[in-house]
Amino acid sequence: MVDYNIPFTACHELSHLKSFMQEQEANFIAFLASTSYEDPEFQYSGYLLGWIYCMNVLYDADYESWQEVREGLAGCRGTRSLKKTMGFWARYDGRVAEVADQVNDRYLQANGQEEGVKSYDRMVDLLVSYRKTEQGGSR
């Protein structure tokens, strides 16, 4: 795992230990915990992972907008982190990764998460709702 993933992932897994079993809830709690913590590396982890989940959803919903937002990240630390992540995961691409993803998908579905691995991205719904509430209504 690349270093910037560790704080967010640790918060995600700790939320499961506190009985938040749904993946979208664990991701949302991880976002809140890491971005609220005083350490800048925790904050970076939370915001970057939150950004990645939001971008995954935007990619599927509106590719042109995704491209526009993605271009705005050019040259910053986030771009370097994303390249590092892509390099890390490229080592694991292939049939084994596909099977592992399918196993995780079925495991989640068997444990009441009907959307399987897609439930991780549902954290974006919680994040948007939270931000709207935080800003005092819908925008």
Side-chain angles (χ1 to χ4, degrees), residues 1 5 7 23 55 58 73 84 98 105-106 108-111 120 122-123:
M1 176 180 299
N5 278 6
E23 296 303 335
M55 289 298 283
L58 183 59
L73 191 64
K84 190 175 178 182
E98 289 174 31
D105 189 52
R106 289 193 179 105
L108 292 171
Q109 290 171 352
N111 285 285
Y120 291 97
R122 301 283 295 167
M123 163 269 215

Side-chain angles (χ1 to χ4, degrees), residues 76-123:
C76 73
R77 179 180 174 194
T79 300
R80 292 187 299 276
S81 294
L82 294 173
K83 284 181 183 177
K84 190 175 178 182
T85 297
M86 288 170 45
F88 174 82
W89 288 113
R91 298 181 287 176
Y92 301 101
D93 274 347
R95 185 68 184 138
V96 173
E98 289 174 31
V99 170
D101 194 49
Q102 290 171 356
V103 167
N104 189 33
D105 189 52
R106 289 193 179 105
Y107 170 80
L108 292 171
Q109 290 171 352
N111 285 285
Q113 296 186 65
E114 293 177 14
E115 293 183 274
V117 295
K118 291 181 182 175
S119 64
Y120 291 97
D121 286 343
R122 301 283 295 167
M123 163 269 215

Side-chain angles (χ1 to χ4, degrees), residues 23-53:
E23 296 303 335
Q24 66 271 21
E25 293 172 344
N27 273 349
F28 181 63
I29 291 166
F31 173 82
L32 292 177
S34 57
T35 59
S36 298
Y37 191 64
E38 60 196 38
D39 184 289
E41 294 303 317
F42 266 73
Q43 293 172 5
Y44 179 76
S45 178
Y47 283 119
L48 188 58
L49 268 292
W51 185 86
I52 289 169
Y53 281 107

